[in-house]
Amino acid sequence: MTKDYAVGIGLLLMVVFLWTAANFVTQNLFVDGGYNKPWLITYTNTAAFAIYLIPSLLRHKLEQHDLRDDSQSRGYQPLQQDSNEREVENVQPVGNNESPRLTTRETAKLAFGFSFLWFIANWSSNAALAYTTVASVTILASMSSFTTLGLSWLFGVESLSMRKVLAVATSFLGVVLVSLSDSNSSTGSGGSEALSGEGSKTVLGDCLALLSACFYAFYVTYLKVQIKDESRIDMQLFFGFVGLASVLTCWPVGIILHLTGIETFQWPSASGAVVAILFNMFITFSSDFLYAIAVLKTTPLVVTVGLSLTIPLAVFGDFFLHELAPIQVLAGALLVLVAFVIIGREDAQETAAKASASTGSTEGEEHLLRRSSDGEGGLGASHA
């Protein structure tokens, strides 16, 4: 396992913890707080990303100031020397397969495309909770593992193997076991009575959850395919542009929802709702940034299956806060954990093999260049 891959797994585990906390906060806001505004919650969470533009702009100003001071201190430099320096800076080493770093304009274009996929995935997921049960949303959201595996294989991000397919299926089975147990307990306690007589709304909620799973797979694959490696992009600048794009383009949707009565605009009246919204914004602001880095350091499939670790984490929390979970829930959580370990181990081996092959290829090409250079020097000396 490479160092970057291990860091990516660590960041993913942090995201799992933060998203588990966010789920509790959102559920409390919708159910107990009485503030069921999925579009507004998604909009405010995404708009918080624009704060990342502030340090990026400050850093840009400082760099310009340092360059101006440096040029004044050096005085006049010959034009030919400046040209040669630029040529040296633009030369890529032989055998270096890394793509060039994205410019600010390219980062902005990438962020605007990503923001559309990200907003749809999160908005539909939040809206689904208003129409269907948490169990249904969880089961359908886990379908993103299959979609992510297919898209990643199609775009050359992942290799397809029987072990990965079986691991994804195992993770899905574990999610189903936990979710069905949760659904049965909720129905027995009357927790789903509000939804039991509204079949059409339940179907709508299931469709929204499935839509969220599809767009989730789209945006994690899009991120990996377009960026490839974390070193190619300024992630703070990227997420700053994501927030700016959402602020500029998504507000007309809110007006349409308000005029049609689907989601009327209303300020939260209770102080607890305000605190919950701000806390949710903070979690989204920090966790999604870490999550994007985890995608680039590992693979889309690893982070997709890894997010199902919220289930074992919830079971672990229930063990300490309440009581031991039923056998069905423990079995499902164990299946999710086993699937994550299998996929993580196989992808780690593939990543290490690729890194080793790339290093060997580069060293071989450098050796050939040195031999060619020595040969040319010898011929020149002999001729003289």
Side-chain angles (χ1 to χ4, degrees):
M1 180 183 294
T2 63
K3 181 180 179 180
D4 277 351
Y5 195 92
V7 171
I9 295 296
L11 293 176
L12 176 60
L13 295 178
M14 291 176 61
V15 171
V16 168
F17 177 80
L18 291 172
W19 281 12
T20 302
N23 288 337
F24 283 108
V25 172
T26 304
Q27 183 182 36
N28 182 72
L29 181 64
F30 284 0
V31 179
D32 299 332
Y35 194 72
N36 191 3
K37 307 290 182 183
W39 180 88
L40 184 61
I41 296 298
T42 307
Y43 186 78
T44 53
N45 288 346
T46 311
F49 288 148
I51 300 176
Y52 280 122
L53 287 177
I54 297 176
S56 297
L57 291 174
L58 291 176
R59 186 168 60 250
H60 179 68
K61 290 293 184 181
L62 289 175
E63 289 176 353
Q64 284 187 329
H65 184 267
D66 292 341
L67 288 174
R68 185 164 55 251
D69 290 347
D70 185 57
S71 62
Q72 291 176 354
S73 63
R74 286 187 303 172
Y76 171 76
Q77 296 291 331
L79 292 176
Q80 183 62 35
Q81 182 176 350
D82 291 342
S83 176
N84 289 339
E85 288 177 355
R86 286 194 298 269
E87 289 177 1
V88 170
E89 290 175 355
N90 291 329
V91 170
Q92 295 290 336
V94 177
N96 185 6
N97 295 323
E98 294 183 359
S99 302
R101 188 173 175 85
L102 297 178
T103 63
T104 302
R105 182 183 296 273
E106 292 171 337
T107 301
K109 290 175 62 178
L110 182 64
F112 270 70
F114 174 85
S115 65
F116 171 75
L117 301 174
W118 191 96
F119 197 93
I120 294 294
N122 286 270
W123 178 25
S124 55
S125 177
N126 289 333
L129 294 173
Y131 299 108
T132 188
T133 61
V134 176
S136 296
V137 173
T138 306
I139 293 173
L140 293 171
S142 65
M143 291 295 294
S144 60
S145 299
F146 294 99
T147 310
T148 302
L149 178 59
L151 289 174
S152 299
W153 171 75
L154 184 64
F155 287 98
V157 178
E158 290 272 3
S159 61
L160 192 62
S161 66
M162 183 58 65
R163 185 179 298 180
K164 288 183 179 180
V165 174
L166 292 176
V168 169
T170 301
S171 175
F172 179 72
L173 178 60
V175 173
V176 170
L177 287 176
V178 175
S179 300
L180 289 179
S181 176
D182 177 65
S183 178
N184 293 333
S185 62
S186 298
T187 303
S189 60
S192 302
E193 290 177 357
L195 295 171
S196 59
E198 302 181 5
S200 60
K201 287 188 175 181
T202 302
V203 172
L204 175 59
D206 292 342
C207 291
L208 288 172
L210 188 59
L211 180 68
S212 174
C214 292
F215 272 88
Y216 171 86
F218 291 158
Y219 85 67
V220 294
T221 307
Y222 174 84
L223 194 68
K224 187 69 174 182
V225 170
Q226 295 294 330
I227 301 178
K228 296 181 178 65
D229 188 80
E230 174 202 0
S231 61
R232 295 191 60 224
I233 194 170
D234 184 343
M235 291 303 297
Q236 279 193 341
L237 185 64
F238 173 75
F239 270 97
F241 281 131
V242 169
L244 180 62
S246 299
V247 169
L248 295 178
T249 61
C250 294
W251 62 266
V253 179
I255 294 179
I256 295 174
L257 294 175
H258 177 77
L259 294 177
T260 56
I262 298 176
E263 182 180 321
T264 57
F265 179 79
Q266 179 184 1
W267 290 106
S269 56
S271 59
V274 176
V275 173
I277 292 174
L278 293 177
F279 185 68
N280 215 344
M281 289 175 62
F282 171 76
I283 290 179
T284 304
F285 176 79
S286 56
S287 63
D288 284 64
F289 179 81
L290 299 176
Y291 170 75
I293 297 178
V295 172
L296 298 177
K297 287 184 176 293
T298 57
T299 65
L301 182 61
V302 169
V303 296
T304 302
V305 175
L307 291 180
S308 298
L309 292 176
T310 53
I311 292 175
L313 182 61
V315 171
F316 186 75
D318 285 338
F319 175 74
F320 283 96
L321 297 177
H322 303 289
E323 58 184 8
L324 186 62
I327 297 297
Q328 183 176 343
V329 174
L330 292 176
L334 181 61
L335 288 176
V336 170
L337 185 60
V338 169
F340 175 72
V341 171
I342 292 174
I343 291 179
R345 183 176 181 180
E346 183 164 348
D347 273 331
Q349 291 175 350
E350 291 179 358
T351 302
K354 290 179 181 178
S356 177
S358 176
T359 303
S361 176
T362 302
E363 291 177 350
E365 290 177 355
E366 290 177 351
H367 178 67
L368 289 175
L369 285 174
R370 285 195 298 268
R371 289 187 60 186
S372 176
S373 176
D374 292 342
E376 289 175 0
L379 287 174
S382 176
H383 179 73

